[in-house]
């Protein structure tokens, strides 16, 4: 029997630069044994298995699943030639152990999230062994079953049938959970040895003189003993193309439709649907959502508008905040007493549409058509993008104001804060900023200031601003919305307004073409504006909405040949909105209202 090829031997052979006929090929670079344990049994099994793997001359790493971030590391297993083994216990009521909880939550959502696609883990090889107790009939080994199912749904390849260890000695196949594991371990080590030699399936051992005569059979994929899996495998083979259902963005205006409409996954996962519904979102179909902003209610009552009213003249009570795509490329009530009658009447006619909220609006397949529909109804458009789709920014029709979220200034900090899905996220980010700089209409950088995270990156921010040359730069202190398992933010990360002012002043010193123009103290937000919007010593940051509608109509009627710039529809900023004014961004026509002994409303933008 030929000894398995170890990684060290492979490296030495490679260094000798052997001919293609004699060069050895590495089929297995190593094994990762990941365990999720509550009482320590799975951990003990992991160490025992690692010993058997190492004895074969194959490198092995034992990992506690609470230390393994699937979002960052799981996709790497597709090309690493590693084999991943999952030893997982099922805890109370069929739930994963505490150490396995995040892995299971992420994997479940990814398996049904259209952004990842059916082939996200294509190339990954794995095996699963579960620890459970068949006394609990409804929950027996559910965690191992689910992990096996979710990995398979993302096109990872199981190298052998899932194993089950039963703590119920009466029904255990081998008399105990330990004996069940030992039997599975023997099969796994034989399978691993075959993989290391390049065989698709382990030899049965019945071939005479150690010579395998049934090579064709041994090259077939390992069959799962479950009949439903065989059916699913055949279904996948029919439609398993390299790009599968991963979102493809067209050059025209958005996401390319899949070849089979029936197979398209919903853009809202069940978990996301539940979370957004609890937060007060109204969901439309499988992709869109709307939410009543608290500033809409505030301005209806005559208690002031949001910072967009201060900076650009948006009437908050006539602003519709929505998103046509709750999906995103990076892992975010209605009874109003005391309404002013005249503003209620005005509010019935929508005048502005903020395409923001959660998700990534530019991913919507018909985003350009949607924008045209808004403009046809004399509704201004304010679109926010997370800077991951540069070509879609370039192909976007004119909008009243185009925002790009700049949540960090370096590659490492952007990955930490935005947790992007694309591996080339930084190049996409930079290309998106360049694409923004090519636009003729109003453009804005949105900087969210997170204390102790990105306040020390002034020079890097200045470099990004010079790349896209936006008309305006909004700098807003991050809003704390309570504890969340998906975020480690605390109140310690929320800067005071004076800290935001200081930061913006320091940033302005690095930007000779920009100056602080406006302030909205209530929202902890300031506006830097390009000097071209300061005419004869007066700021013109507001928007002439009627003029914009005239210009966009001329643009459409000319087939896009009659273009226009941001300077063509600017309007003078009122004195109360200017930085340094006593009102600090609060419209004197409204009445400031201080809520006493009430829970703070943090909904909306």
């Amino acid at each position: 029997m030929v000894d398995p090829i170890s990684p060290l031997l492979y490296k030495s052979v490679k260094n000798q630069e052997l001919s293609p006929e004699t060069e050895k090929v590495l089929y297995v670079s190593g094994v990762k044994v990941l365990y999720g344990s509550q009482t320590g049994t799975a951990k003990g099994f992991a160490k025992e298995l690692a010993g058997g793997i190492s004895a074969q001359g194959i490198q092995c790493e034992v990992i506690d699943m609470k230390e393994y971030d699937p979002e960052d590391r799981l996709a790497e297993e597709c090309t690493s030639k590693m084999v991943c083994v999952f030893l997982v216990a099922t805890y109370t009521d069929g739930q994963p152990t505490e150490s396995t909880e995040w892995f299971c939550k992420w994997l479940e959502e990814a398996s049904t999230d259209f952004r990842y696609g059916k082939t996200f883990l294509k190339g990954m090889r794995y095996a699963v062994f579960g620890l459970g107790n068949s006394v609990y009939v409804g929950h027996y080994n559910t965690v191992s079953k689910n992990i096996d199912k979710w990995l398979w749904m993302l096109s990872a390849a199981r190298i052998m049938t899932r194993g089950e260890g039963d703590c119920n000695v009466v029904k255990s196949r081998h008399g105990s959970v330990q004996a069940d594991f030992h039997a599975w371990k023997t099969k796994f080590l034989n399978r691993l040895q075959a993989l290391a030699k390049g065989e698709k399936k382990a030899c049965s051992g019945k071939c005479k003189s150690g010579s395998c005569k049934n090579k064709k059979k041994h090259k077939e994929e390992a069959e799962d003993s479950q009949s439903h899996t065989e059916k699913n495998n055949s279904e996948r083979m029919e439609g398993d193309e390299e790009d599968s259902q991963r979102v493809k963005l067209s050059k025209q205006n958005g996401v390319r439709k899949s070849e089979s409409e029936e197979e398209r996954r919903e853009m809202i996962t069940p978990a996301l649907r539940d979370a957004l519904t609890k937060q007060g979102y109204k969901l439309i179909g499988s992709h869109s959502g709307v939410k009543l902003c608290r500033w809409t209610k505030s301005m209806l009552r005559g208690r002031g508008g949001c910072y967009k009213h201060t900076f650009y003249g948006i009437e908050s009570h006539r602003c519709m905040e929505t998103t046509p795509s709750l999906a995103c490329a990076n892992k975010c009530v209605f009874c109003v007493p005391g309404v002013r009658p005249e503003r209620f009447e005005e509010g019935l006619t929508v005048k502005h549409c903020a395409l923001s909220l959660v998700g990534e609006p530019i991913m919507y397949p018909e985003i350009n058509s949607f924008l045209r529909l808004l403009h046809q109804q004399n509704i201004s458009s304010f679109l926010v993008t997370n800077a991951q789709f540069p070509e879609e920014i370039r192909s976007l029709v004119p909008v009243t104001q185009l925002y790009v979220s700049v949540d960090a200034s370096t590659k490492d900090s952007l990955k930490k804060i935005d947790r992007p899905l694309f591996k080339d996220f930084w190049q996409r980010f930079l290309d998106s900023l360049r694409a923004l700089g090519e636009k003729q209409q109003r453009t804005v950088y949105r900087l969210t200031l997170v204390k102790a995270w990105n306040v020390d990156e002034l020079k890097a921010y200045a470099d990004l601003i010079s790349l896209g040359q936006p008309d305006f730069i909004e700098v807003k202190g991050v809003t704390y919305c309570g504890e969340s398992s998906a975020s480690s933010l605390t109140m310690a990360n929320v800067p005071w307004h004076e800290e935001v002012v200081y930061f913006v002043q320091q940033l302005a010193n690095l930007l000779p073409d920009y100056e602080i123009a406006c302030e909205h103290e209530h929202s902890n937000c300031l506006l830097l504006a390009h000097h071209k919007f300061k005419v004869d010593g007066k700021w013109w940051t507001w928007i002439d909405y009627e003029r914009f509608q005239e210009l966009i109509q001329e643009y459409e009627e000319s087939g896009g040949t009659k273009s226009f710039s941001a300077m063509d529809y600017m309007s003078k900023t009122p004195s109360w909105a200017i930085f340094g004014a006593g009102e600090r961004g609060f419209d004197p026509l409204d009445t400031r209202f201080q809520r006493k002994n009430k829970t703070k409303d943090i909904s909306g933008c």
Side-chain angles (χ1 to χ4, degrees), residues 44-254:
F45 286 172
K47 292 182 178 179
E48 182 180 338
L49 181 62
I53 294 169
S54 298
Q56 290 190 354
I58 299 176
Q59 292 180 348
C60 183
E61 181 183 4
V62 177
I63 305 172
D64 188 339
M65 291 178 73
K66 69 180 180 182
E67 306 295 336
Y68 185 91
D69 189 346
E71 192 167 55
D72 290 334
R73 302 179 62 183
L74 205 54
E76 298 173 0
E77 316 300 353
C78 299
T79 56
S80 65
K81 294 188 178 180
M82 299 289 291
V83 173
C84 293
V85 182
F86 298 91
L87 306 180
V88 290
T90 296
Y91 198 42
T92 308
D93 296 328
Q95 297 300 310
T97 63
E98 183 178 350
S99 62
T100 323
E101 188 175 3
W102 166 242
F103 182 93
C104 290
K105 177 179 174 60
W106 183 91
L107 190 60
E108 179 183 14
E109 293 183 356
S111 68
T112 57
D113 191 331
F114 85 105
R115 296 171 296 175
Y116 289 96
K118 291 182 179 179
T119 60
F120 182 67
L121 294 181
K122 189 177 180 67
M124 175 184 172
R125 295 173 294 179
Y126 74 95
V128 178
F129 181 84
L131 294 79
N133 193 321
S134 59
V135 170
Y136 305 101
V137 180
H139 305 301
Y140 176 56
N141 257 309
T142 55
V143 175
S144 64
K145 292 175 183 177
N146 285 335
I147 288 179
D148 183 35
K149 177 183 67 175
W150 296 328
L151 289 170
W152 181 89
M153 288 173 65
L154 291 169
S155 290
R158 63 171 72 89
I159 64 171
M160 60 183 293
T161 303
R162 174 177 52 83
E164 292 184 350
D166 194 348
C167 292
N168 181 7
V169 296
V170 177
K171 291 190 176 182
S172 169
R173 292 185 62 185
H174 302 89
S176 69
V177 67
Q178 289 81 7
D180 291 337
F181 171 71
H182 291 153
W184 180 85
K185 170 188 156 186
T186 300
K187 293 180 181 179
F188 172 80
L189 292 176
N190 289 336
R191 181 76 181 98
L192 182 63
Q193 190 175 67
L195 285 174
K197 292 188 290 186
E199 298 176 10
K200 293 292 185 180
K201 188 176 181 181
C203 179
S204 64
K206 297 179 180 179
C207 302
K208 296 180 180 179
S209 303
S211 175
C212 182
K213 295 183 178 180
N214 197 353
K215 294 182 179 180
K216 181 178 180 180
K217 180 178 180 181
H218 295 339
K219 289 184 179 181
E220 296 175 356
E221 291 290 333
E223 298 178 357
D224 195 310
S225 60
Q226 302 175 32
S227 60
H228 76 275
T229 303
E230 295 178 1
K231 178 181 178 182
N232 290 341
N233 279 336
S234 63
E235 290 176 353
R236 182 196 288 167
M237 289 175 64
E238 295 175 2
D240 186 15
E241 298 181 0
E242 200 58 38
D243 60 353
S244 185
Q245 299 296 329
R246 178 176 287 278
V247 177
K248 296 294 183 180
L249 296 167
S250 69
K251 292 182 179 180
Q252 182 179 359
N253 64 2

Side-chain angles (χ1 to χ4, degrees), residues 10 171 182 216 282 286 325 351 454 461 556 559 598:
Y10 173 65
K171 291 190 176 182
H182 291 153
K216 181 178 180 180
K282 303 300 180 183
S286 66
S325 172
K351 188 176 179 180
N454 55 17
Y461 273 121
E556 293 293 347
K598 295 275 188 176

Side-chain angles (χ1 to χ4, degrees), residues 180 360 441 476 507 525 552 559 593 600:
D180 291 337
E360 174 56 84
Q441 292 75 43
K476 187 178 188 298
L507 181 61
C525 188
I552 195 67
F593 179 81
K600 186 178 180 181

Side-chain angles (χ1 to χ4, degrees), residues 30-56:
V31 178
K32 291 182 180 178
V33 181
L34 298 97
Y35 67 88
S37 185
Q38 191 68 30
T39 62
T41 305
K43 181 179 181 180
F45 286 172
K47 292 182 178 179
E48 182 180 338
L49 181 62
I53 294 169
S54 298
Q56 290 190 354

Side-chain angles (χ1 to χ4, degrees), residues 77 263 317 353 424 437 443 460:
E77 316 300 353
E263 294 182 1
H317 65 300
C353 181
D424 60 340
T443 57

